[in-house]
Amino acid sequence: MQESFDGRCLREVADKVEVHLDTVEQWVAIFKLRGIAGLLRKPWTLNDEKQKEVEQKIKNLNALIHQSPSLYGINRTSWRTEDLAAVYSKVYGVVLTRSTVWNYLQRQGYRFRKAKEVLTSPDPKFREKLDKITSILNNLKPDDRFFSIDEMGSCGIRAKVGWSYTEPGEQKTVKAHQKAKAYIICTAALELTTNQVTHFYSRAKNTDEMIKLMEVLIEQYRGMRKIYLSWDAASWHASSKLKERIKEVSARAYRKEHGTPAVELAPLPASAQFLNVIESVFSGLAKAVLHNSDYKGADDCKQAIDRYFSERNAYYLKYPKRAGKRIWGKELVPAKFSPDQNCKDPRVRFNGKKKSQALKKPVNN
């Protein structure tokens, strides 16, 4: 308003605030009649139809931000709001302004941060791999099972910070530098159709542990036709030794003798941990039994993790229709695969260090 009364062209004002010229002219007229009070926005709510439209736009926007701008002909390594607005309009045929895009991103908790937390995948085969996983899930048969797989840790057993109720004036403190009492790695698989977690503890992250998990799953799911294993692009998830073992157990003669299902890989795109559904489960686990903890050793910590997964599995067996609700330590997203959600919580660090640093520590099994 001040700029318009200072003589600035109303069209320039409209361009600056990204609204139509007629809207600015209406604002000026209202201001002259009723002052600033007339411009204050009155409380209002969206009807159900409009609310669904907004939710769909947010889902579409999340799906876009998970992909690299270069896939849409933009010569940048990260998204800008103006680029997202332009691409959204081109892809979905609906015009979104920069301010609307920014508003939707803020509502989802997105912030512009350093590259280590950017929710995009540089994988040139991103769409191809995503389409394959989506196709598998859309055509999953009753005797098929799909697993989201990853390793949590290594996790240092030490006093950890976290939220808790405190008395007035009380301030809990945790030493910044502590020697870990032990380290653990939890290898786990989340079955998406039943929301059941299978887990065990590993001494390292390598091919042998992945073969062990695969063999545990085919024994646990005897009688199924096929199981799909989906995980990130870590080298031990795609080794020749692992692929050879999968070929062996998927052979007709082996399956007939042991009554086990065939195994097929459905790898995620590179740097796409935000699509790995089990990351959300790990986030809920960390908030429930790791944050604000001070376990005496590895055994105490493992007991808490075992109980967490046992209770979670029991709940979803009893209430299968509720699978995906944000319970058990407030998991980030529903336990289902979707390209428009972020399963990885960048605030959750199991060892207080980067993953690469944590792997250098010895692990107590």
Side-chain angles (χ1 to χ4, degrees), residues 105-316:
L105 291 177
Q106 283 187 311
R107 287 171 60 175
Q108 296 301 298
Y110 285 100
R111 296 294 184 271
F112 197 72
R113 294 171 174 151
K114 291 184 179 180
K116 63 182 180 182
E117 295 181 2
V118 167
L119 302 178
T120 56
S121 169
D123 195 329
K125 294 185 177 181
F126 179 90
R127 291 179 186 169
E128 178 184 330
K129 293 178 180 178
L130 188 61
D131 289 345
K132 178 183 177 181
I133 293 174
T134 304
S135 176
I136 291 172
L137 291 171
N138 287 340
N139 296 284
L140 210 62
K141 294 179 172 57
D143 54 353
D144 292 343
R145 292 293 182 266
F146 190 99
F147 294 89
S148 171
I149 297 170
D150 203 3
E151 304 92 349
M152 183 187 75
S154 71
C155 176
I157 310 302
R158 55 168 67 89
K160 297 182 182 294
V161 297
W163 292 88
S164 64
Y165 287 109
T166 58
E167 296 180 2
E170 179 186 4
Q171 177 63 59
K172 291 185 177 181
T173 59
V174 174
K175 292 181 180 179
H177 302 286
Q178 305 174 59
K179 182 178 179 180
K181 304 162 190 173
Y183 291 88
I184 63 171
I185 294 174
C186 179
T187 300
L190 171 68
E191 204 290 297
L192 297 192
T193 59
T194 58
N195 219 347
Q196 297 295 294
V197 176
T198 300
H199 78 288
F200 58 79
Y201 301 96
S202 304
R203 293 190 61 84
K205 298 182 179 183
N206 55 34
T207 297
D208 290 338
E209 295 301 310
M210 290 301 98
I211 292 176
K212 176 183 175 181
L213 177 61
M214 183 266 294
E215 292 176 343
V216 167
L217 292 176
I218 62 175
E219 286 296 323
Q220 183 178 350
Y221 288 86
R222 279 174 175 268
M224 292 292 109
R225 184 187 73 91
K226 181 182 287 189
I227 66 172
Y228 297 89
L229 309 182
S230 181
W231 42 38
D232 58 31
S235 60
W236 57 90
H237 292 163
S239 66
S240 57
K241 181 179 179 181
L242 173 62
K243 291 179 179 179
E244 185 61 32
R245 181 56 179 159
I246 289 176
K247 184 178 179 180
E248 290 176 9
V249 302
S250 296
R252 182 175 298 180
Y254 184 96
R255 294 177 56 204
K256 185 176 180 180
E257 179 182 352
H258 297 86
T260 52
V263 180
E264 183 176 326
L265 298 182
L268 291 166
S271 302
Q273 294 91 338
F274 52 84
L275 291 177
N276 201 353
V277 185
I278 200 169
E279 291 282 8
S280 178
V281 177
F282 283 157
S283 174
L285 166 69
K287 292 173 184 176
V289 300
L290 296 183
H291 292 184
N292 206 43
S293 68
D294 189 10
Y295 295 111
K296 295 180 180 179
D299 290 341
D300 287 346
C301 184
K302 288 178 183 180
Q303 270 190 337
I305 294 173
D306 293 344
R307 179 178 174 182
Y308 178 89
F309 283 137
S310 176
E311 292 177 349
R312 185 188 187 281
N313 287 346
Y315 180 91
Y316 283 119

Side-chain angles (χ1 to χ4, degrees), residues 38-136:
L39 295 173
L40 296 177
R41 181 174 293 179
K42 298 179 181 179
W44 59 281
T45 57
L46 294 175
N47 58 40
D48 291 343
E49 184 178 349
K50 289 293 183 182
Q51 184 63 39
K52 288 180 180 178
E53 289 181 10
V54 170
E55 290 174 357
Q56 186 58 51
K57 288 177 181 177
I58 291 175
K59 285 185 177 182
N60 293 341
L61 194 60
N62 285 342
L64 278 181
I65 205 171
H66 286 164
Q67 303 177 55
S68 172
S70 62
L71 296 177
Y72 294 93
I74 298 173
N75 188 29
R76 290 185 60 83
T77 57
S78 60
W79 286 103
R80 300 178 301 177
T81 51
E82 55 263 43
D83 296 330
L84 282 168
V87 172
Y88 189 99
S89 301
K90 182 178 179 181
V91 173
Y92 297 104
V94 177
V95 176
L96 289 185
T97 65
R98 289 176 56 190
S99 57
T100 301
V101 169
W102 179 237
N103 177 263
Y104 288 167
L105 291 177
Q106 283 187 311
R107 287 171 60 175
Q108 296 301 298
Y110 285 100
R111 296 294 184 271
F112 197 72
R113 294 171 174 151
K114 291 184 179 180
K116 63 182 180 182
E117 295 181 2
V118 167
L119 302 178
T120 56
S121 169
D123 195 329
K125 294 185 177 181
F126 179 90
R127 291 179 186 169
E128 178 184 330
K129 293 178 180 178
L130 188 61
D131 289 345
K132 178 183 177 181
I133 293 174
T134 304
S135 176
I136 291 172

